[in-house]
Every structure is written in C-alpha cells, then in structure tokens.
C-alpha cells in the first residue's frame, strides 16, 4: 500500500533548505563582521549582528530581482547536480555546489546592500 507522505522522494529535503538558509545567515554575518572590523568598530561582532537584524530598507527592485535570480539559479544548479549524480558523489557534489551557490548569493547581497546604503 502506498501512503502519501509528501511530494518529495527525499524526506530530509527541509533539512537541506534550513541548512542553506543557515549558511546564508552565517556568510552574511561573516561579511558584515569583516566590513565592521575594517572600518574600526570597537565591537564588530555586536555591530554586525545589529546590522543583520536591523535591515529596514529592502534592496532596490533591480538588485532584489538579480538576487532572486542568483538564488534560483543556484538552487537549479544544485538540483541538476543532484539529478545527474548518485551515491557518495551526490552528497559531496550537492554539498559543494550548494555552499558555492549560497556564498555567491550572500556576497552579492552584501555588496549591493553596502553600495545602496552609501548612495543614500
């Protein structure tokens, strides 16, 4: 008997999604910390945490669109790698592709947020 448990073959798909979001937050924090430390902040860790928490102004529409395109391309590429590989190679390839995709996405958001905040 077949029981409907969800639409995915991988029951731990939500763990991959949460891991990608946590990695994005960690990379964003690291980039913000580095920028605060370079600017000579007395408490760069605390200031970086407040910068991440207090993002009141969203990105302009052009930057937000490209950010979402990067996110979707990274997810598509990661899914394609998962589809084309199998076994232990799949875990390694998907993990590596996911880390690179999230790092590029976080770096782009960091650079455009910084550029946008200096133009105000």
């Amino acid at each position: 008997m077949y029981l409907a448990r969800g639409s995915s073959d991988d029951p731990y798909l939500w763990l991959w999604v949460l891991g990608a979001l946590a990695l994005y937050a960690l990379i964003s924090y690291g980039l913000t910390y580095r920028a605060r430390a370079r600017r000579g902040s007395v408490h760069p860790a605390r200031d970086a945490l407040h910068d991440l928490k207090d993002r009141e102004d969203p990105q302009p529409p052009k930057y937000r669109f490209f950010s979402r395109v990067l996110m979707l391309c990274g997810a598509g590429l990661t899914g394609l790698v998962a589809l084309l590989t199998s076994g232990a190679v799949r875990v390694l390839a998907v993990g590596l592709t996911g880390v690179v995709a999230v790092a590029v996405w976080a770096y782009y958001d960091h650079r455009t947020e910084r550029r946008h905040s200096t133009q105000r």
Side-chain angles (χ1 to χ4, degrees):
M1 174 184 256
Y2 180 75
L3 299 175
R5 294 184 185 202
S7 61
S8 175
D9 291 337
D10 185 10
Y12 299 107
L13 180 66
W14 61 275
L15 286 175
W16 286 96
V17 172
L18 287 176
L21 290 175
L23 184 63
Y24 175 82
L26 182 67
I27 291 171
S28 294
Y29 174 78
L31 291 170
T32 306
Y33 173 84
R34 188 176 128 219
R36 283 296 196 158
R38 283 185 173 185
R39 287 187 216 136
S41 177
V42 178
H43 302 287
R46 187 179 336 150
D47 293 341
L49 192 60
H50 286 294
D51 283 352
L52 289 178
K53 187 179 75 172
D54 296 334
R55 289 187 179 178
E56 295 173 4
D57 296 330
Q59 292 175 324
K62 179 176 75 169
Y63 294 139
R64 185 174 40 243
F65 173 74
F66 285 121
S67 173
R68 297 310 176 253
V69 168
L70 275 174
M71 177 183 65
L72 290 174
C73 287
L77 183 64
T78 304
L80 184 65
V81 167
L83 185 69
L84 296 176
T85 58
S86 64
V89 174
R90 175 183 285 174
V91 174
L92 182 65
V94 167
L96 185 62
T97 306
V99 166
V100 169
V102 170
V104 168
W105 178 35
Y107 184 73
Y108 175 80
D109 281 351
H110 173 73
R111 296 292 294 186
T112 56
E113 187 272 330
R114 187 170 153 218
R115 185 178 306 142
H116 175 64
S117 65
T118 58
Q119 288 178 352
R120 284 188 273 159

